[in-house]
Amino acid sequence: MLSARQSAIVGVVVGYLADLIFADPQRGHPVAVFGAAAARLERFTYRDAKVAGVLHVGLLAGAAGLLGAMLQRTAGRGPATAIATWVALGGTTLARTGSRMADLLDVGDLVGARRLLPSLCGRDPAVLDETGLNRAALESVAENTSDAEVAPLLWAAIGGAPAVLAYRAVNTLDAMVGYRSPRYLKFGWAAARLDDLVNFTGARFAALLVVGCAPLVGGSALGATTAWRRDAARHPSPNAGVVEAAFAGALGVRLGGPTQYRHELQIRPTLGAGRQPTVNDLRRAVRLSRAVQGAAVLVVAGAIPRR
């Protein structure tokens, strides 16, 4: 008979394998359903005030956590954790999208690449050339290695279905309203700050795994460590900068610089001291991302307590 802790970790592994096999459903994905519900609720909760944003996030993240608790009570800790982990993970879809972007750029299909970019990040694809599209995709793969792969695994292992579903809710809300645009500067403040908090440990664990996995893709562990320590703190995000800097150093490329979103142009700091990334570097980033997620699962599985 497995203990509750053992059941949760087994559930994490099963959820990871489900993501590898099935990826994200093409229709009716629970995260998409949640996003649609959040958008509808925003019609009633929106005010140009931080307290309204706190209420919005609290209601939605609380509901996601409650749903996870109900699932856990009904199905048991192991099965509920497996289902919730599969729902929260996006590693296989991230890798496939990153690889598809590399394929499009490889044949010079900039129209297709611009059309695909919103699946990876919220930048304005219309203003990006081949170099900009490649950099945007690589930075997104790096950031989402933490947000969509490592952090969900950690939250599922720590708190089961309620924790990982609440985490995914917060991360989704940050992607929806956590912008510094005029509409969301105050209303999205709570989502952005809470997302920073729940991703703090996951981002640093992901960066450590990037250091360890870098040689698997012909990268440099020393380069990843150096760029992380030197450059990460200059990034406006306390978490994205950590993982992006580690990826840049591991792959020997230079990330950052002018970054155009639909609502503003940001001048990002330089991460890494290498060359401009190429399509081959994007493919290496995808392989590194998958290696990091696999390593995270092995670490979590190794934490199963022995009787």
Side-chain angles (χ1 to χ4, degrees):
M1 187 75 176
L2 296 177
S3 68
R5 177 69 172 161
Q6 289 171 325
S7 295
I9 294 180
V10 170
V12 171
V13 176
V14 172
Y16 163 72
L17 294 175
D19 179 62
L20 279 182
I21 297 169
F22 303 112
D24 294 331
Q26 295 298 309
R27 295 182 179 179
H29 193 294
V31 175
V33 173
F34 172 84
R40 287 194 294 270
L41 181 64
E42 186 181 330
R43 300 174 192 169
F44 303 97
T45 57
Y46 180 80
R47 301 289 187 279
D48 188 21
K50 289 182 178 180
V51 66
V54 171
L55 175 64
H56 185 70
V57 174
L59 286 172
L60 289 163
L66 180 61
L67 178 63
M70 293 170 59
L71 178 64
Q72 194 160 282
R73 185 170 184 175
T74 302
R77 191 174 180 91
T81 301
I83 294 169
T85 300
W86 173 57
V87 167
L89 286 175
T92 298
T93 297
L94 175 65
R96 289 177 179 175
T97 307
S99 296
R100 176 61 180 154
M101 177 63 79
D103 290 342
L104 292 169
L105 292 174
D106 229 0
V107 297
D109 185 357
L110 298 188
V111 173
R114 291 189 180 108
R115 191 179 300 121
L116 181 62
L117 188 66
S119 300
L120 286 169
C121 60
R123 300 183 195 183
D124 184 358
V127 302
L128 297 178
D129 58 10
E130 181 178 350
T131 300
L133 289 164
N134 191 72
R135 176 170 74 84
L138 200 158
E139 289 175 354
S140 181
V141 167
E143 180 178 1
N144 283 293
T145 297
S146 172
D147 290 3
E149 297 181 2
V150 176
L153 291 170
L154 289 183
W155 280 109
I158 293 168
V164 73
L165 290 184
Y167 165 80
R168 177 48 65 204
V170 170
N171 191 246
T172 302
L173 290 170
D174 176 59
M176 295 179 69
V177 303
Y179 294 104
R180 295 182 179 274
S181 64
R183 175 177 174 85
Y184 292 125
L185 185 62
K186 294 180 180 178
F187 184 76
W189 173 86
R193 297 292 77 75
L194 189 55
D195 186 70
D196 287 343
L197 180 63
V198 299
N199 276 298
F200 186 87
T201 300
R204 283 144 186 84
F205 182 42
L208 282 173
L209 294 176
V210 169
V211 172
C213 294
L216 299 178
V217 297
S220 168
L222 178 60
T225 304
T226 300
W228 174 9
R229 295 180 60 183
R230 183 189 61 220
D231 301 332
R234 297 188 288 126
H235 195 281
S237 168
N239 299 321
V242 169
V243 191
E244 289 180 23
F247 262 76
L251 299 174
V253 300
R254 183 171 70 257
L255 303 177
T259 303
Q260 180 68 58
Y261 292 93
R262 294 190 184 277
H263 59 279
E264 67 174 344
L265 172 66
Q266 294 183 6
I267 305 301
R268 294 287 180 84
T270 299
L271 306 175
R275 63 188 180 280
Q276 286 287 342
T278 65
V279 173
N280 183 55
D281 293 317
L282 176 56
R283 296 191 191 280
R284 293 169 65 216
V286 169
R287 296 199 302 272
L288 179 57
S289 178
R290 302 209 76 158
V292 165
Q293 187 180 22
V297 172
L298 291 176
V299 172
V300 169
I304 297 178
R306 302 293 185 264
R307 290 186 177 277

